[in-house]
Amino acid sequence: AQKVTQAQTEISVVEKEDVTLDCVYETRDTTYYLFWYKQPPSGELVFLIRRNSFDEQNEISGRYSWNFQKSTSSFNFTITASQVVDSAVYFCALRPGSSASKIIFGSGTRLSIRP
Amino acid sequence: DGGITQSPKYLFRKEGQNVTLSCEQNLNHDAMYWYRQDPGQGLRLIYYSQIVNDFQKGDIAEGYSVSREKKESFPLTVTSAQKNPTAFYLCASSGQDRVSNQPQHFGDGTRLSIL
C-alpha cells in the first residue's frame, strides 16, 4: 500500500518556538520521492522541498530543515524560530517511482503561530 | 510571469447543473492534474493528463469529466452526477511526468458550492 500519515492534525505554538511536523510514509517501491508543500490561507500549494529515496542527506534552508530517515520511513519537517507568517497547512506527499503520475498526499497539519 | 491560472475563484452550482472549472498554464508543462480537497483532508486526484488529447482517471473520477485539447489548458467539468461537489478544487502541472521527481506546481484553486 502507498500511504502518507501526518498524525498531527493541528499544532499551535508561540512565535519564536521551534516546531516539528511529522510525516510517516508507506511504500513498497525502492525508488520514490517525497515532498513537502505549504498551503497558506490563500489556498495555493507552495512547493518547499523534494527528496529522493536514495538520498538520505538532511537539508537545511534558512529556518527550515528536513530529516529523512528510511529506517523509520519518516520525513519530518522542522521550523526553527517560528514566525506568524509560517502559519499554514503543511502537506507531506509521496510519489512512488512505479507510479510517476500520482502523488499521495497526507491529510495535512495545520500550524498556527501565535504572536 | 509563468504560472497556473484557475478561474473562477468562487463558483456556485444549482441542482442538476453542470459547471466547468478553468485551468490554464504557461509553464510549458506536459502533465496536468485536478485535485479535490475537502476540509481537514488531503488532496485526492480526480483526473490527470500526461499529454495532449490523453487523460486518465484518478481515484475519484466519478461525476467529473475533463478534456485536453491544448497543452496549456485542462478544464474540469463537474457534472450533475457528482452528488457532493462542494469542495476546493486545485489544478496542478508538472514537467516531463515520466521523470518522477518533478514537483507539481499548483494554481490558486476554485471553491465550489451548491446553491
Side-chain angles (χ1 to χ4, degrees):
Chain A
Q2 321 273 16
K3 186 179 178 182
V4 176
T5 301
Q6 294 181 255
Q8 303 152 308
T9 305
E10 293 191 38
I11 299 176
S12 181
V13 301
V14 177
E15 197 172 20
K16 297 183 182 177
E17 286 187 13
D18 299 346
V19 57
T20 295
L21 283 60
D22 298 333
C23 173
V24 175
Y25 61 91
E26 294 178 33
T27 180
R28 292 191 187 129
D29 289 36
T30 54
T31 299
Y32 52 88
Y33 307 87
L34 296 165
F35 303 84
W36 273 97
Y37 286 88
K38 174 181 180 180
Q39 186 178 38
S42 53
E44 82 280 13
L45 265 71
V46 178
F47 166 70
L48 295 178
I49 190 171
R50 168 187 61 233
R51 176 62 69 222
N52 305 326
S53 57
F54 41 86
D55 179 7
E56 283 196 73
Q57 186 174 7
N58 291 327
E59 182 159 338
I60 298 175
S61 176
R63 296 184 296 106
Y64 295 172
S65 63
W66 290 268
N67 182 7
F68 177 31
Q69 292 195 341
K70 290 179 73 171
S71 61
T72 56
S73 297
S74 65
F75 186 42
N76 296 338
F77 173 30
T78 296
I79 301 175
T80 303
S82 60
Q83 300 177 3
V84 173
V85 294
D86 296 326
S87 297
V89 180
Y90 290 86
F91 290 97
C92 180
L94 164 70
R95 193 170 205 177
S98 62
S99 180
S101 300
K102 295 181 69 172
I103 288 184
I104 298 110
F105 285 85
S107 57
T109 296
R110 181 176 299 279
L111 177 63
S112 298
I113 309 298
R114 308 188 305 274
Chain B
D1 288 346
I4 300 177
T5 302
Q6 288 188 242
S7 62
K9 195 171 181 67
Y10 299 95
L11 186 59
F12 299 91
R13 196 192 86 170
K14 296 179 181 178
E15 291 288 338
Q17 185 182 40
N18 293 353
V19 292
T20 297
L21 284 61
S22 171
C23 178
E24 303 279 331
Q25 55 101 358
N26 60 5
L27 299 167
N28 200 33
H29 284 167
D30 289 314
M32 296 187 74
Y33 310 80
W34 274 105
Y35 291 93
R36 170 179 170 141
Q37 184 179 20
D38 292 282
Q41 297 188 32
L43 279 65
R44 292 184 291 168
L45 182 64
I46 305 173
Y47 269 97
Y48 65 97
S49 168
Q50 294 179 300
I51 196 170
V52 174
N53 291 323
D54 183 61
F55 47 83
Q56 307 295 329
K57 291 182 179 180
D59 300 318
I60 54 166
E62 186 174 350
Y64 300 97
S65 66
V66 293
S67 63
R68 187 83 188 276
E69 297 177 1
K70 298 186 296 182
K71 186 176 184 178
E72 58 270 22
S73 179
F74 192 40
L76 173 74
T77 297
V78 183
T79 74
S80 57
Q82 172 51 245
K83 298 307 180 187
N84 183 24
T86 298
F88 187 55
Y89 292 85
L90 282 159
C91 179
S93 70
S94 67
Q96 294 186 333
D97 193 66
R98 59 185 177 276
V99 181
S100 297
N101 63 346
Q102 295 299 311
Q104 294 183 347
H105 298 261
F106 286 82
D108 291 346
T110 294
R111 196 166 298 279
L112 176 62
S113 303
I114 292 184
L115 282 177

